[in-house]
Amino acid sequence: MRLDPGLRIGTYATFSALIVTGAAWLAADQLKDTESGEFWQAVAPDMLMLHGGCAMIALVLLGALIPVHFQRSWRAGRNRISGSVMMAVNASLIVTAFALYYAGSDALRTFAADIHIAVGLGLPAVIITHIALGRRMRALTVRPLLQPVTFSEDRGSP
């Protein structure tokens, strides 16, 4: 199911910003112990704040996508595997983000952080695959409708 252009652009922009701010925070966090560590120490909290803000917008968009995209596509039997993977990946990111924010145990926070980073770094590949498979499936189902109608002799002609 193709998304409305506004929702599609908003979703792509939000998830792109999530990926960029998450990767920027990860880089800043890794570089804070280097020679230019003072700069990266200042950048890291800003990236984390932007990442959290984008995550809030993403939660709203995911909530909107459930009835207008996920449920309709599921009922139509389209792109179920990659759609389910998308839902599972996003669910794991939500759960691990919750654990990062609210976990009292350092061991749990470390575990949640590792999972969140690994899944987050894999998110672009999952998104691109889901979009590509959806577009391919759409092209396969739309193309036959655009082909000229031909009549065979055994069916009769108009």
Side-chain angles (χ1 to χ4, degrees), residues 16-87:
S16 295
L18 263 174
I19 292 163
V20 167
T21 57
W25 173 83
L26 185 60
D29 189 59
Q30 296 296 316
L31 294 170
K32 67 183 178 188
D33 294 328
T34 63
E35 245 180 57
S36 57
E38 194 171 308
F39 170 76
W40 295 111
Q41 186 73 30
V43 169
D46 292 338
M47 288 300 106
L48 198 55
M49 179 185 63
L50 288 172
H51 188 68
C54 290
M56 291 178 198
I57 297 167
L59 287 171
V60 172
L61 289 170
L62 287 171
L65 288 173
I66 290 171
V68 300
H69 184 67
F70 184 76
Q71 287 179 343
R72 288 182 184 173
S73 296
W74 189 267
R75 284 187 203 124
R78 302 177 87 183
N79 224 358
R80 283 185 173 178
I81 294 172
S82 70
S84 296
V85 171
M86 282 290 298
M87 291 295 281

Short mmCIF file of all heavy atoms in Angstrom, two decimals, residues 16-87:
data_model
loop_
_atom_site.label_atom_id
_atom_site.label_comp_id
_atom_site.label_asym_id
_atom_site.label_seq_id
_atom_site.Cartn_x
_atom_site.Cartn_y
_atom_site.Cartn_z
N SER A 16 15.07 9.25 8.60
CA SER A 16 16.42 9.67 8.19
C SER A 16 17.08 10.48 9.30
O SER A 16 18.26 10.27 9.62
CB SER A 16 16.35 10.51 6.91
OG SER A 16 15.89 9.74 5.84
N ALA A 17 16.32 11.39 9.90
CA ALA A 17 16.85 12.19 11.00
C ALA A 17 17.20 11.32 12.20
O ALA A 17 18.22 11.53 12.86
CB ALA A 17 15.85 13.28 11.40
N LEU A 18 16.36 10.31 12.47
CA LEU A 18 16.66 9.38 13.57
C LEU A 18 17.98 8.65 13.32
O LEU A 18 18.81 8.53 14.23
CB LEU A 18 15.54 8.33 13.68
CG LEU A 18 14.47 8.57 14.70
CD1 LEU A 18 13.39 7.51 14.57
CD2 LEU A 18 15.01 8.61 16.10
N ILE A 19 18.15 8.17 12.12
CA ILE A 19 19.37 7.42 11.78
C ILE A 19 20.59 8.33 11.85
O ILE A 19 21.62 7.96 12.44
CB ILE A 19 19.21 6.76 10.39
CG1 ILE A 19 18.15 5.65 10.46
CG2 ILE A 19 20.54 6.23 9.88
CD1 ILE A 19 17.61 5.21 9.12
N VAL A 20 20.49 9.53 11.29
CA VAL A 20 21.63 10.46 11.29
C VAL A 20 21.99 10.90 12.71
O VAL A 20 23.17 10.89 13.09
CB VAL A 20 21.34 11.68 10.39
CG1 VAL A 20 22.34 12.80 10.60
CG2 VAL A 20 21.31 11.26 8.93
N THR A 21 20.99 11.28 13.51
CA THR A 21 21.29 11.73 14.87
C THR A 21 21.80 10.58 15.75
O THR A 21 22.67 10.79 16.59
CB THR A 21 20.07 12.40 15.53
OG1 THR A 21 18.97 11.48 15.54
CG2 THR A 21 19.69 13.68 14.81
N GLY A 22 21.27 9.38 15.54
CA GLY A 22 21.77 8.23 16.29
C GLY A 22 23.21 7.91 15.94
O GLY A 22 24.04 7.67 16.82
N ALA A 23 23.51 7.93 14.64
CA ALA A 23 24.89 7.66 14.20
C ALA A 23 25.83 8.78 14.66
O ALA A 23 26.97 8.51 15.07
CB ALA A 23 24.94 7.50 12.69
N ALA A 24 25.36 10.02 14.62
CA ALA A 24 26.19 11.15 15.07
C ALA A 24 26.46 11.05 16.56
O ALA A 24 27.59 11.30 17.01
CB ALA A 24 25.50 12.48 14.73
N TRP A 25 25.45 10.67 17.34
CA TRP A 25 25.67 10.50 18.78
C TRP A 25 26.68 9.39 19.02
O TRP A 25 27.58 9.53 19.85
CB TRP A 25 24.38 10.17 19.54
CG TRP A 25 24.70 9.84 20.95
CD1 TRP A 25 24.88 10.72 21.97
CD2 TRP A 25 24.98 8.54 21.49
NE1 TRP A 25 25.25 10.04 23.13
CE2 TRP A 25 25.32 8.69 22.84
CE3 TRP A 25 24.97 7.26 20.95
CZ2 TRP A 25 25.64 7.62 23.66
CZ3 TRP A 25 25.30 6.19 21.76
CH2 TRP A 25 25.62 6.38 23.12
N LEU A 26 26.53 8.27 18.31
CA LEU A 26 27.45 7.14 18.48
C LEU A 26 28.89 7.56 18.16
O LEU A 26 29.81 7.24 18.91
CB LEU A 26 27.02 5.96 17.59
CG LEU A 26 27.79 4.67 17.74
CD1 LEU A 26 27.69 4.12 19.16
CD2 LEU A 26 27.26 3.64 16.74
N ALA A 27 29.06 8.30 17.06
CA ALA A 27 30.40 8.78 16.69
C ALA A 27 30.94 9.74 17.76
O ALA A 27 32.10 9.63 18.18
CB ALA A 27 30.35 9.46 15.33
N ALA A 28 30.10 10.67 18.20
CA ALA A 28 30.54 11.64 19.22
C ALA A 28 30.90 10.93 20.52
O ALA A 28 31.90 11.28 21.17
CB ALA A 28 29.44 12.67 19.47
N ASP A 29 30.13 9.92 20.89
CA ASP A 29 30.41 9.18 22.11
C ASP A 29 31.75 8.44 22.01
O ASP A 29 32.49 8.37 22.99
CB ASP A 29 29.27 8.20 22.39
CG ASP A 29 29.40 7.55 23.75
OD1 ASP A 29 29.40 8.29 24.75
OD2 ASP A 29 29.49 6.30 23.81
N GLN A 30 32.04 7.91 20.82
CA GLN A 30 33.30 7.19 20.63
C GLN A 30 34.50 8.15 20.58
O GLN A 30 35.60 7.77 20.98
CB GLN A 30 33.25 6.37 19.33
CG GLN A 30 32.22 5.27 19.34
CD GLN A 30 32.50 4.21 20.39
OE1 GLN A 30 33.62 3.76 20.56
NE2 GLN A 30 31.46 3.83 21.12
N LEU A 31 34.27 9.36 20.09
CA LEU A 31 35.37 10.31 19.91
C LEU A 31 35.61 11.23 21.10
O LEU A 31 36.54 12.05 21.08
CB LEU A 31 35.11 11.16 18.66
CG LEU A 31 35.13 10.40 17.33
CD1 LEU A 31 34.63 11.29 16.21
CD2 LEU A 31 36.52 9.86 17.04
N LYS A 32 34.81 11.13 22.14
CA LYS A 32 34.96 12.06 23.27
C LYS A 32 36.24 11.83 24.07
O LYS A 32 36.64 12.70 24.83
CB LYS A 32 33.73 12.03 24.17
CG LYS A 32 33.51 10.74 24.90
CD LYS A 32 32.23 10.81 25.69
CE LYS A 32 32.00 9.48 26.39
NZ LYS A 32 30.70 9.41 27.00
N ASP A 33 36.90 10.70 23.88
CA ASP A 33 38.15 10.43 24.59
C ASP A 33 39.38 10.67 23.71
O ASP A 33 40.49 10.27 24.05
CB ASP A 33 38.17 8.98 25.10
CG ASP A 33 37.11 8.75 26.16
OD1 ASP A 33 36.81 9.70 26.91
OD2 ASP A 33 36.58 7.62 26.23
N THR A 34 39.21 11.36 22.59
CA THR A 34 40.33 11.65 21.69
C THR A 34 40.87 13.04 21.98
O THR A 34 40.43 13.72 22.90
CB THR A 34 39.87 11.55 20.22
OG1 THR A 34 38.88 12.55 19.98
CG2 THR A 34 39.34 10.17 19.89
N GLU A 35 41.82 13.48 21.13
CA GLU A 35 42.42 14.80 21.28
C GLU A 35 41.38 15.92 21.21
O GLU A 35 41.43 16.88 21.95
CB GLU A 35 43.45 15.02 20.16
CG GLU A 35 44.85 15.16 20.64
CD GLU A 35 45.79 15.36 19.48
OE1 GLU A 35 45.60 16.33 18.72
OE2 GLU A 35 46.71 14.54 19.34
N SER A 36 40.43 15.76 20.29
CA SER A 36 39.37 16.77 20.14
C SER A 36 38.13 16.40 20.95
O SER A 36 37.02 16.76 20.61
CB SER A 36 39.01 16.93 18.66
OG SER A 36 38.61 15.68 18.13
N GLY A 37 38.35 15.69 22.04
CA GLY A 37 37.26 15.16 22.86
C GLY A 37 36.33 16.20 23.44
O GLY A 37 35.15 15.94 23.63
N GLU A 38 36.86 17.37 23.71
CA GLU A 38 36.02 18.42 24.29
C GLU A 38 34.89 18.81 23.34
O GLU A 38 33.74 18.99 23.75
CB GLU A 38 36.89 19.65 24.62
CG GLU A 38 36.19 20.64 25.52
CD GLU A 38 37.17 21.71 25.99
OE1 GLU A 38 38.25 21.37 26.50
OE2 GLU A 38 36.81 22.89 25.82
N PHE A 39 35.22 18.91 22.05
CA PHE A 39 34.19 19.23 21.05
C PHE A 39 33.13 18.13 21.02
O PHE A 39 31.94 18.41 21.02
CB PHE A 39 34.85 19.39 19.67
CG PHE A 39 33.85 19.48 18.55
CD1 PHE A 39 33.13 20.65 18.34
CD2 PHE A 39 33.61 18.39 17.73
CE1 PHE A 39 32.20 20.73 17.31
CE2 PHE A 39 32.68 18.46 16.70
CZ PHE A 39 31.98 19.64 16.49
N TRP A 40 33.58 16.88 20.95
CA TRP A 40 32.64 15.75 20.86
C TRP A 40 31.83 15.59 22.14
O TRP A 40 30.67 15.18 22.10
CB TRP A 40 33.37 14.47 20.49
CG TRP A 40 33.97 14.57 19.12
CD1 TRP A 40 35.29 14.64 18.81
CD2 TRP A 40 33.25 14.66 17.90
NE1 TRP A 40 35.45 14.76 17.45
CE2 TRP A 40 34.20 14.77 16.87
CE3 TRP A 40 31.90 14.66 17.56
CZ2 TRP A 40 33.85 14.86 15.53
CZ3 TRP A 40 31.55 14.76 16.22
CH2 TRP A 40 32.52 14.86 15.23
N GLN A 41 32.43 15.93 23.26
CA GLN A 41 31.72 15.89 24.55
C GLN A 41 30.56 16.89 24.53
O GLN A 41 29.50 16.63 25.10
CB GLN A 41 32.69 16.22 25.69
CG GLN A 41 32.10 16.06 27.06
CD GLN A 41 31.90 14.61 27.46
OE1 GLN A 41 32.63 13.73 27.04
NE2 GLN A 41 30.91 14.36 28.30
N ALA A 42 30.74 18.00 23.84
CA ALA A 42 29.67 19.01 23.73
C ALA A 42 28.62 18.60 22.69
O ALA A 42 27.44 18.94 22.84
CB ALA A 42 30.27 20.36 23.37
N VAL A 43 29.03 17.90 21.65
CA VAL A 43 28.11 17.50 20.57
C VAL A 43 27.20 16.35 21.01
O VAL A 43 26.01 16.32 20.64
CB VAL A 43 28.92 17.10 19.31
CG1 VAL A 43 28.04 16.42 18.27
CG2 VAL A 43 29.59 18.32 18.71
N ALA A 44 27.72 15.42 21.78
CA ALA A 44 26.97 14.20 22.14
C ALA A 44 25.61 14.48 22.77
O ALA A 44 24.60 13.90 22.33
CB ALA A 44 27.83 13.31 23.03
N PRO A 45 25.51 15.35 23.79
CA PRO A 45 24.18 15.58 24.37
C PRO A 45 23.18 16.22 23.40
O PRO A 45 21.99 15.91 23.44
CB PRO A 45 24.43 16.52 25.55
CG PRO A 45 25.89 16.58 25.74
CD PRO A 45 26.55 16.06 24.51
N ASP A 46 23.68 17.08 22.52
CA ASP A 46 22.79 17.70 21.54
C ASP A 46 22.24 16.65 20.57
O ASP A 46 21.06 16.67 20.22
CB ASP A 46 23.52 18.79 20.76
CG ASP A 46 23.86 19.99 21.62
OD1 ASP A 46 23.20 20.18 22.67
OD2 ASP A 46 24.80 20.73 21.26
N MET A 47 23.11 15.75 20.12
CA MET A 47 22.66 14.69 19.22
C MET A 47 21.67 13.76 19.90
O MET A 47 20.68 13.35 19.30
CB MET A 47 23.85 13.88 18.70
CG MET A 47 24.72 14.60 17.70
SD MET A 47 23.82 15.11 16.22
CE MET A 47 23.66 16.85 16.49
N LEU A 48 21.92 13.47 21.16
CA LEU A 48 21.01 12.60 21.92
C LEU A 48 19.65 13.27 22.11
O LEU A 48 18.60 12.62 21.98
CB LEU A 48 21.64 12.24 23.27
CG LEU A 48 21.06 11.04 23.99
CD1 LEU A 48 21.07 9.79 23.11
CD2 LEU A 48 21.83 10.79 25.26
N MET A 49 19.65 14.58 22.35
CA MET A 49 18.40 15.32 22.51
C MET A 49 17.62 15.33 21.19
O MET A 49 16.41 15.07 21.17
CB MET A 49 18.68 16.75 22.96
CG MET A 49 17.43 17.58 23.13
SD MET A 49 17.79 19.30 23.52
CE MET A 49 18.64 19.83 22.05
N LEU A 50 18.30 15.60 20.09
CA LEU A 50 17.64 15.59 18.78
C LEU A 50 17.13 14.19 18.43
O LEU A 50 16.03 14.04 17.88
CB LEU A 50 18.61 16.08 17.69
CG LEU A 50 18.93 17.56 17.71
CD1 LEU A 50 20.05 17.88 16.72
CD2 LEU A 50 17.69 18.39 17.41
N HIS A 51 17.91 13.18 18.76
CA HIS A 51 17.52 11.79 18.51
C HIS A 51 16.24 11.45 19.29
O HIS A 51 15.31 10.86 18.74
CB HIS A 51 18.67 10.86 18.92
CG HIS A 51 18.47 9.44 18.55
ND1 HIS A 51 18.46 9.00 17.24
CD2 HIS A 51 18.27 8.34 19.32
CE1 HIS A 51 18.26 7.69 17.22
NE2 HIS A 51 18.14 7.26 18.47
N GLY A 52 16.18 11.86 20.54
CA GLY A 52 14.98 11.62 21.34
C GLY A 52 13.77 12.36 20.81
O GLY A 52 12.65 11.82 20.79
N GLY A 53 13.96 13.58 20.36
CA GLY A 53 12.86 14.35 19.78
C GLY A 53 12.34 13.71 18.50
O GLY A 53 11.12 13.61 18.29
N CYS A 54 13.26 13.26 17.66
CA CYS A 54 12.86 12.57 16.43
C CYS A 54 12.14 11.26 16.76
O CYS A 54 11.20 10.87 16.06
CB CYS A 54 14.08 12.28 15.55
SG CYS A 54 14.81 13.73 14.81
N ALA A 55 12.58 10.60 17.81
CA ALA A 55 11.95 9.35 18.22
C ALA A 55 10.49 9.58 18.62
O ALA A 55 9.62 8.75 18.34
CB ALA A 55 12.73 8.70 19.37
N MET A 56 10.22 10.70 19.28
CA MET A 56 8.83 11.00 19.66
C MET A 56 7.96 11.20 18.42
O MET A 56 6.82 10.73 18.37
CB MET A 56 8.79 12.24 20.55
CG MET A 56 9.39 12.00 21.92
SD MET A 56 9.35 13.53 22.87
CE MET A 56 10.53 13.13 24.13
N ILE A 57 8.49 11.88 17.43
CA ILE A 57 7.75 12.07 16.18
C ILE A 57 7.57 10.71 15.48
O ILE A 57 6.49 10.41 14.95
CB ILE A 57 8.48 13.06 15.25
CG1 ILE A 57 8.53 14.44 15.91
CG2 ILE A 57 7.80 13.14 13.88
CD1 ILE A 57 9.47 15.42 15.25
N ALA A 58 8.60 9.88 15.51
CA ALA A 58 8.52 8.55 14.89
C ALA A 58 7.45 7.69 15.56
O ALA A 58 6.75 6.93 14.88
CB ALA A 58 9.88 7.85 14.96
N LEU A 59 7.30 7.82 16.86
CA LEU A 59 6.25 7.07 17.56
C LEU A 59 4.86 7.46 17.06
O LEU A 59 3.99 6.60 16.86
CB LEU A 59 6.35 7.28 19.07
CG LEU A 59 7.50 6.57 19.77
CD1 LEU A 59 7.61 7.04 21.21
CD2 LEU A 59 7.33 5.06 19.70
N VAL A 60 4.65 8.75 16.86
CA VAL A 60 3.38 9.22 16.32
C VAL A 60 3.16 8.67 14.91
O VAL A 60 2.08 8.18 14.57
CB VAL A 60 3.31 10.77 16.34
CG1 VAL A 60 2.08 11.28 15.60
CG2 VAL A 60 3.35 11.29 17.76
N LEU A 61 4.21 8.74 14.08
CA LEU A 61 4.09 8.23 12.71
C LEU A 61 3.85 6.73 12.69
O LEU A 61 3.03 6.25 11.89
CB LEU A 61 5.36 8.58 11.93
CG LEU A 61 5.52 10.05 11.58
CD1 LEU A 61 6.91 10.33 11.03
CD2 LEU A 61 4.45 10.49 10.59
N LEU A 62 4.53 5.98 13.54
CA LEU A 62 4.29 4.54 13.59
C LEU A 62 2.85 4.25 14.00
O LEU A 62 2.21 3.33 13.46
CB LEU A 62 5.27 3.87 14.56
CG LEU A 62 6.71 3.76 14.07
CD1 LEU A 62 7.62 3.29 15.19
CD2 LEU A 62 6.80 2.84 12.87
N GLY A 63 2.33 5.04 14.94
CA GLY A 63 0.93 4.88 15.33
C GLY A 63 -0.01 5.16 14.16
O GLY A 63 -1.03 4.48 14.00
N ALA A 64 0.33 6.14 13.33
CA ALA A 64 -0.49 6.46 12.16
C ALA A 64 -0.36 5.38 11.09
O ALA A 64 -1.32 5.10 10.36
CB ALA A 64 -0.09 7.82 11.59
N LEU A 65 0.81 4.78 10.98
CA LEU A 65 1.03 3.77 9.94
C LEU A 65 0.30 2.45 10.21
O LEU A 65 0.02 1.71 9.28
CB LEU A 65 2.53 3.49 9.79
CG LEU A 65 3.35 4.60 9.14
CD1 LEU A 65 4.83 4.26 9.19
CD2 LEU A 65 2.90 4.83 7.71
N ILE A 66 -0.02 2.18 11.45
CA ILE A 66 -0.69 0.91 11.77
C ILE A 66 -2.02 0.79 11.02
O ILE A 66 -2.22 -0.18 10.29
CB ILE A 66 -0.82 0.71 13.29
CG1 ILE A 66 0.57 0.46 13.89
CG2 ILE A 66 -1.76 -0.46 13.61
CD1 ILE A 66 0.61 0.45 15.41
N PRO A 67 -2.94 1.76 11.14
CA PRO A 67 -4.21 1.57 10.41
C PRO A 67 -4.13 1.88 8.92
O PRO A 67 -4.81 1.24 8.12
CB PRO A 67 -5.17 2.53 11.12
CG PRO A 67 -4.31 3.57 11.71
CD PRO A 67 -3.01 2.89 12.06
N VAL A 68 -3.33 2.86 8.52
CA VAL A 68 -3.35 3.27 7.11
C VAL A 68 -2.38 2.50 6.23
O VAL A 68 -2.49 2.56 5.01
CB VAL A 68 -3.08 4.79 6.94
CG1 VAL A 68 -4.12 5.61 7.66
CG2 VAL A 68 -1.69 5.17 7.36
N HIS A 69 -1.44 1.79 6.82
CA HIS A 69 -0.47 1.07 6.00
C HIS A 69 -0.37 -0.40 6.41
O HIS A 69 -0.59 -1.28 5.59
CB HIS A 69 0.90 1.75 6.13
CG HIS A 69 1.97 1.17 5.27
ND1 HIS A 69 1.93 1.25 3.89
CD2 HIS A 69 3.09 0.48 5.57
CE1 HIS A 69 3.00 0.63 3.40
NE2 HIS A 69 3.72 0.16 4.40
N PHE A 70 -0.06 -0.65 7.65
CA PHE A 70 0.20 -2.02 8.09
C PHE A 70 -1.06 -2.89 7.98
O PHE A 70 -1.03 -3.95 7.37
CB PHE A 70 0.74 -2.03 9.52
CG PHE A 70 1.11 -3.40 10.01
CD1 PHE A 70 2.28 -4.00 9.58
CD2 PHE A 70 0.30 -4.09 10.88
CE1 PHE A 70 2.63 -5.28 10.01
CE2 PHE A 70 0.63 -5.35 11.33
CZ PHE A 70 1.80 -5.95 10.88
N GLN A 71 -2.17 -2.45 8.56
CA GLN A 71 -3.39 -3.28 8.55
C GLN A 71 -3.92 -3.49 7.14
O GLN A 71 -4.30 -4.60 6.78
CB GLN A 71 -4.47 -2.67 9.44
CG GLN A 71 -4.18 -2.81 10.91
CD GLN A 71 -5.25 -2.17 11.78
OE1 GLN A 71 -6.05 -1.35 11.32
NE2 GLN A 71 -5.25 -2.53 13.04
N ARG A 72 -3.93 -2.45 6.33
CA ARG A 72 -4.42 -2.58 4.95
C ARG A 72 -3.54 -3.51 4.14
O ARG A 72 -4.03 -4.33 3.38
CB ARG A 72 -4.51 -1.21 4.29
CG ARG A 72 -5.62 -0.37 4.80
CD ARG A 72 -5.67 0.94 4.07
NE ARG A 72 -6.70 1.80 4.63
CZ ARG A 72 -6.88 3.04 4.28
NH1 ARG A 72 -6.10 3.60 3.37
NH2 ARG A 72 -7.83 3.76 4.84
N SER A 73 -2.23 -3.36 4.29
CA SER A 73 -1.30 -4.22 3.54
C SER A 73 -1.41 -5.66 4.01
O SER A 73 -1.34 -6.60 3.20
CB SER A 73 0.14 -3.73 3.71
OG SER A 73 0.27 -2.44 3.15
N TRP A 74 -1.58 -5.86 5.31
CA TRP A 74 -1.70 -7.22 5.85
C TRP A 74 -2.95 -7.89 5.28
O TRP A 74 -2.90 -9.04 4.84
CB TRP A 74 -1.74 -7.19 7.37
CG TRP A 74 -1.64 -8.55 7.96
CD1 TRP A 74 -2.67 -9.38 8.30
CD2 TRP A 74 -0.45 -9.28 8.23
NE1 TRP A 74 -2.19 -10.57 8.79
CE2 TRP A 74 -0.82 -10.53 8.75
CE3 TRP A 74 0.91 -8.98 8.09
CZ2 TRP A 74 0.11 -11.49 9.13
CZ3 TRP A 74 1.83 -9.94 8.47
CH2 TRP A 74 1.43 -11.18 8.98
N ARG A 75 -4.05 -7.17 5.29
CA ARG A 75 -5.30 -7.73 4.76
C ARG A 75 -5.19 -8.03 3.27
O ARG A 75 -5.78 -8.99 2.78
CB ARG A 75 -6.46 -6.76 5.00
CG ARG A 75 -6.94 -6.76 6.41
CD ARG A 75 -8.21 -5.92 6.55
NE ARG A 75 -8.33 -5.49 7.93
CZ ARG A 75 -8.43 -4.25 8.33
NH1 ARG A 75 -8.47 -3.26 7.47
NH2 ARG A 75 -8.53 -3.97 9.61
N ALA A 76 -4.44 -7.21 2.55
CA ALA A 76 -4.26 -7.41 1.11
C ALA A 76 -3.22 -8.49 0.82
O ALA A 76 -3.04 -8.89 -0.33
CB ALA A 76 -3.86 -6.10 0.45
N GLY A 77 -2.53 -8.97 1.86
CA GLY A 77 -1.51 -10.00 1.69
C GLY A 77 -0.25 -9.49 1.01
O GLY A 77 0.46 -10.26 0.37
N ARG A 78 0.05 -8.22 1.19
CA ARG A 78 1.19 -7.62 0.50
C ARG A 78 2.35 -7.35 1.46
O ARG A 78 2.15 -6.78 2.51
CB ARG A 78 0.77 -6.32 -0.16
CG ARG A 78 -0.38 -6.54 -1.14
CD ARG A 78 -0.85 -5.28 -1.73
NE ARG A 78 -0.01 -5.02 -2.90
CZ ARG A 78 -0.10 -3.94 -3.63
NH1 ARG A 78 -0.94 -3.00 -3.29
NH2 ARG A 78 0.66 -3.79 -4.69
N ASN A 79 3.53 -7.77 1.06
CA ASN A 79 4.78 -7.43 1.75
C ASN A 79 4.75 -7.81 3.24
O ASN A 79 5.27 -7.09 4.08
CB ASN A 79 5.05 -5.94 1.58
CG ASN A 79 6.49 -5.63 1.24
OD1 ASN A 79 7.32 -6.52 1.17
ND2 ASN A 79 6.78 -4.38 1.04
N ARG A 80 4.15 -8.94 3.54
CA ARG A 80 3.96 -9.33 4.94
C ARG A 80 5.27 -9.61 5.67
O ARG A 80 5.41 -9.25 6.83
CB ARG A 80 3.06 -10.56 5.02
CG ARG A 80 1.61 -10.23 4.82
CD ARG A 80 0.77 -11.46 5.03
NE ARG A 80 -0.64 -11.12 5.01
CZ ARG A 80 -1.59 -12.00 5.14
NH1 ARG A 80 -1.30 -13.28 5.29
NH2 ARG A 80 -2.85 -11.62 5.11
N ILE A 81 6.21 -10.27 5.02
CA ILE A 81 7.45 -10.65 5.71
C ILE A 81 8.27 -9.40 6.06
O ILE A 81 8.64 -9.19 7.22
CB ILE A 81 8.27 -11.65 4.88
CG1 ILE A 81 7.51 -12.97 4.77
CG2 ILE A 81 9.65 -11.86 5.49
CD1 ILE A 81 8.12 -13.97 3.82
N SER A 82 8.54 -8.56 5.07
CA SER A 82 9.36 -7.38 5.37
C SER A 82 8.59 -6.39 6.26
O SER A 82 9.19 -5.70 7.08
CB SER A 82 9.86 -6.70 4.09
OG SER A 82 8.81 -6.09 3.39
N GLY A 83 7.28 -6.35 6.14
CA GLY A 83 6.48 -5.51 7.03
C GLY A 83 6.54 -5.99 8.46
O GLY A 83 6.65 -5.20 9.40
N SER A 84 6.50 -7.31 8.65
CA SER A 84 6.62 -7.87 9.99
C SER A 84 8.00 -7.62 10.57
O SER A 84 8.14 -7.32 11.76
CB SER A 84 6.33 -9.37 9.96
OG SER A 84 5.00 -9.60 9.56
N VAL A 85 9.02 -7.71 9.73
CA VAL A 85 10.38 -7.41 10.18
C VAL A 85 10.48 -5.94 10.58
O VAL A 85 11.06 -5.61 11.62
CB VAL A 85 11.43 -7.76 9.11
CG1 VAL A 85 12.81 -7.25 9.47
CG2 VAL A 85 11.47 -9.27 8.87
N MET A 86 9.88 -5.05 9.78
CA MET A 86 9.87 -3.62 10.13
C MET A 86 9.21 -3.39 11.49
O MET A 86 9.72 -2.64 12.31
CB MET A 86 9.11 -2.81 9.07
CG MET A 86 9.88 -2.55 7.80
SD MET A 86 11.23 -1.39 8.03
CE MET A 86 10.35 0.06 8.53
N MET A 87 8.06 -4.05 11.71
CA MET A 87 7.36 -3.89 12.99
C MET A 87 8.21 -4.42 14.14
O MET A 87 8.29 -3.79 15.20
CB MET A 87 6.01 -4.60 12.95
CG MET A 87 5.01 -3.95 12.01
SD MET A 87 4.52 -2.30 12.51
CE MET A 87 3.35 -2.69 13.78
#
